[in-house]
């Protein structure tokens, strides 16, 4: 693989700093959750303080991503030997929920980054993998470019990587390139000349790469989930990783991992919604004539709403962390037990999704019951919680997941480990 230590132009312009400076000291042993939460508290508090304003102004969080990298957050799962924190799966997702509470855009935009680290950890830790992990511990951030809005059939790709001189040429257009606007390197999915699938890692500022901030969703608007154009991008053989034939759809912990990143972001939204609802109620001095408390905080009906939404978020968080523990068991299991445990972790993750989505969506709606029309003030930006939750919940739609696990439980049907979109093949 290629190496990279330079910032993207957009990220560098955002804070005017030299690439990857002011890094926190590398750890000497894995830390527990409490120690890491304390370590990252200052940067998380700063991120949370500006979240509503960034949403109102559509100001991309370049500086916030760089602050996380400089603090070592983007290297929490990198082994200590390569300069990271070496945390386990549950600790990682607990920290990701904390980040989601500060700003739910950030866990999602870093999903491809953390997935890349996970892929390296699940493979053979050869010299190239250790070098890449050390780069990530040094502050390198990765983005994603996989989804297409093309006429390709389900599971196929229009983007190609083909031989060109001494190397290869990458051409295509991607949509939902989450995180790439903030990245040093981009992982691109492509089809090879013989029809195989490959992952191509390219520099975000390489000639022929055009990054666009054209994501038009009403939520998660700061994830950089726009389109990316690749026009004759020159790459070396070391930058191309061809996937084994038939690998897509095989049981893997990666699908649960990717889903849990989204669910951690979602639970973070819910926690932020409860936090802001409590803050709003405590700040209110006016009460309704129908109320029975001297203040809003003393009104039993308002207390009931706060109690109810707090319980729903606690249940959603517990479901996600239970799935994270199941994933950790599957990742570390002996080879002969792994497939069954991967399947159990996948099932538990889908069930967590079916718990978290309705709970968080109800919370981000019901929080408005505590304050009437004044809660809809754009200055408070409470609407962003519902918009963000609804957008996160639209990934891997619940209706398909409900049917999948129902079919599995009733009929023993295998779970689907490969999600893709495209046009249905025309019948002959």
């Amino acid at each position: 693989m290629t190496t990279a230590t330079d910032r993207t132009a957009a990220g560098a312009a955002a804070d005017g700093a030299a690439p990857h400076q002011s890094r926190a000291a590398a750890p000497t042993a894995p830390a527990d959750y409490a120690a890491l939460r304390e370590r990252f508290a200052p940067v998380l508090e700063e991120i949370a303080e500006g979240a509503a304003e960034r949403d109102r102004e559509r100001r991309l969080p370049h500086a916030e991503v760089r602050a996380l990298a400089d603090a070592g957050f983007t290297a929490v799962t990198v082994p200590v030997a390569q300069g990271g924190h070496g945390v386990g799966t549950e600790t990682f997702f607990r920290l990701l929920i904390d980040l989601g509470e500060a700003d739910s855009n950030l866990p999602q935009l870093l999903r491809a980054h953390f997935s890349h680290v996970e892929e390296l950890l699940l493979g053979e830790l050869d010299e190239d993998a250790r070098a890449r992990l050390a780069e990530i511990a040094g502050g390198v951030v990765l983005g994603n470019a996989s989804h297409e809005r093309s006429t390709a059939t389900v599971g196929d790709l229009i983007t190609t990587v083909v031989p060109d001189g001494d190397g290869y040429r990458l051409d295509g257009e991607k949509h939902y390139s989450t995180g790439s606007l903030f990245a040093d390197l981009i992982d691109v999915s492509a089809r090879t000349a013989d029809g195989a699938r490959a992952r191509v890692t390219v520099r975000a500022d390489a000639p022929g790469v055009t990054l666009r901030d054209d994501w038009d969703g009403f939520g998660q608007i700061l994830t950089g989930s726009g389109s990316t154009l690749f026009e004759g991008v020159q790459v070396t053989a070391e930058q191309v990783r061809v996937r084994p034939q038939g690998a897509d759809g095989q049981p893997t912990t990666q699908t649960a991992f990717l889903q849990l990143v989204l669910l951690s972001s979602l639970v973070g939204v819910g926690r932020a919604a409860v936090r802001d609802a409590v803050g709003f109620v405590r700040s209110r001095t006016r009460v309704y004539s129908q109320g029975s408390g001297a203040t809003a905080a003393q009104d039993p009906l308002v207390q009931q709403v706060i109690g109810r939404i707090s319980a729903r978020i606690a249940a959603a968080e517990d479901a996600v962390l239970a799935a994270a523990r199941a994933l950790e068991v599957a990742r570390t299991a002996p080879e002969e037990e792994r497939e069954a445990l991967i399947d159990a972790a996948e099932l538990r993750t889908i069930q967590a999704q079916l718990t978290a989505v309705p709970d968080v969506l109800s919370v981000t709606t019901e929080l408005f019951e505590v304050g009437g029309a004044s809660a809809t003030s754009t200055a408070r930006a409470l609407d962003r919680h519902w918009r963000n939750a609804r957008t996160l919940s639209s990934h891997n739609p619940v209706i398909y997941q409900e049917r999948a696990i129902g079919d599995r439980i009733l009929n023993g049907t295998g779970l689907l480990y490969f999600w893709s979109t495209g046009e249905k093949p025309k019948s002959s």
Side-chain angles (χ1 to χ4, degrees):
M1 298 178 188
T2 188
T3 62
T5 56
D6 292 337
R7 300 269 307 283
T8 61
D15 58 16
H20 310 322
Q21 290 184 347
S22 303
R23 286 274 298 138
T28 57
D32 62 16
Y33 167 75
L36 286 172
R37 185 62 181 84
E38 182 178 359
R39 176 190 179 109
F40 297 130
V43 67
L44 293 178
E45 289 168 6
E46 187 173 352
I47 287 170
E49 186 176 348
E53 183 179 353
R54 284 192 300 275
D55 182 85
R56 283 194 299 269
E57 298 178 355
R58 194 187 172 92
R59 176 161 50 84
L60 294 175
H62 289 290
E64 288 71 22
V65 172
R66 183 45 43 199
L68 288 169
D70 289 343
F73 194 101
T74 53
V76 290
T77 57
V78 172
V80 171
Q82 279 73 51
H85 293 281
V87 304
T89 304
E90 182 179 358
T91 295
F92 168 66
F93 284 110
R94 289 183 71 184
L95 289 168
L96 217 58
I97 290 170
D98 292 337
L99 179 58
E101 181 180 359
D103 185 339
S104 65
N105 291 277
L106 288 159
Q108 186 186 358
L109 73 83
L110 289 170
R111 186 166 75 135
H113 172 89
F114 287 120
S115 175
H116 186 93
V117 176
E118 183 73 357
E119 182 181 342
L120 292 171
L121 296 178
L122 292 173
E124 182 181 353
L125 277 183
D126 56 19
E127 184 177 349
D128 285 344
R130 288 193 295 270
R132 174 53 52 80
L133 289 168
E135 288 180 336
I136 291 167
V140 165
V141 175
L142 287 103
N144 156 73
S146 59
H147 191 87
E148 296 183 352
R149 282 181 179 171
S150 66
T151 57
T153 58
V154 174
D156 199 5
L157 297 167
I158 294 296
T159 302
T160 59
V161 57
V162 297
D164 185 45
D166 295 332
Y168 290 83
R169 186 183 74 249
L170 177 68
D171 292 280
E173 185 173 11
K174 298 292 188 177
H175 291 78
Y176 312 127
S177 306
T178 305
S180 290
L181 284 169
F182 313 95
D184 302 292
L185 302 175
I186 305 173
D187 261 350
V188 187
S189 56
R191 178 169 48 83
T192 65
D194 59 1
R197 295 174 68 90
R199 299 291 290 179
V200 187
T201 304
V202 302
R203 291 178 59 96
D205 59 357
V209 177
T210 302
L211 301 168
R212 304 176 180 131
D213 180 24
D214 55 4
W215 162 236
D216 64 352
F218 58 62
Q220 295 295 97
I221 62 175
L222 306 181
T223 56
S225 298
S227 58
T228 307
L229 184 64
F230 302 95
E231 298 176 292
V233 180
Q234 298 298 309
V235 296
T236 65
E238 289 74 21
Q239 293 171 259
V240 181
R241 309 187 305 281
V242 178
R243 291 178 58 80
Q245 292 288 345
D248 292 332
Q250 295 301 308
T252 172
T253 57
Q254 282 290 71
T255 51
F257 182 90
L258 289 165
Q259 186 66 65
L260 284 171
V261 174
L262 293 176
L263 293 180
S264 297
S265 304
L266 185 65
V267 171
V269 172
R271 287 202 337 200
V274 174
R275 176 202 67 205
D276 289 352
V278 170
F280 175 66
V281 170
R282 287 175 174 169
S283 71
R284 284 177 62 81
T285 58
R286 291 158 57 84
V287 296
Y288 281 96
S289 58
Q290 300 95 323
S292 57
T295 66
Q298 293 173 340
D299 189 311
L301 293 178
V302 174
Q303 293 169 354
Q304 180 181 356
V305 173
I306 295 297
R308 182 168 63 245
I309 65 176
S310 71
R312 286 179 178 165
I313 294 307
E317 182 170 349
D318 285 349
V320 169
L321 294 179
R325 290 190 290 272
L327 181 61
E328 176 73 3
V329 170
R331 289 178 76 256
T332 58
E335 185 66 35
E336 63 274 13
E337 301 175 14
R338 190 165 299 157
E339 185 168 335
L341 291 171
I342 287 173
D343 208 52
E346 182 74 10
L347 180 61
R348 179 57 65 91
T349 299
I350 297 172
Q351 290 168 331
Q353 180 185 0
L354 304 189
T355 297
V357 165
D359 279 351
V360 176
L361 286 176
S362 69
V363 166
T364 55
T365 297
E366 288 183 34
L367 74 88
F368 292 95
E369 301 291 344
V370 302
S374 59
T376 67
S377 167
T378 56
R380 297 186 182 278
L382 296 181
D383 63 301
R384 80 183 191 279
H385 298 314
W386 183 87
R387 290 187 285 105
N388 290 338
R390 181 64 271 175
T391 302
L392 284 163
S393 300
S394 298
H395 291 74
N396 305 334
V398 164
I399 58 172
Y400 296 110
Q401 297 283 49
E402 288 173 329
R403 190 213 60 80
I405 62 173
D407 192 15
R408 161 61 184 276
I409 292 169
L410 290 170
N411 305 310
T413 306
L415 298 172
L416 183 66
Y417 287 88
F418 179 67
W419 284 77
S420 64
T421 59
E423 296 189 357
K424 276 287 187 183
K426 294 181 174 59
S427 56
S428 55

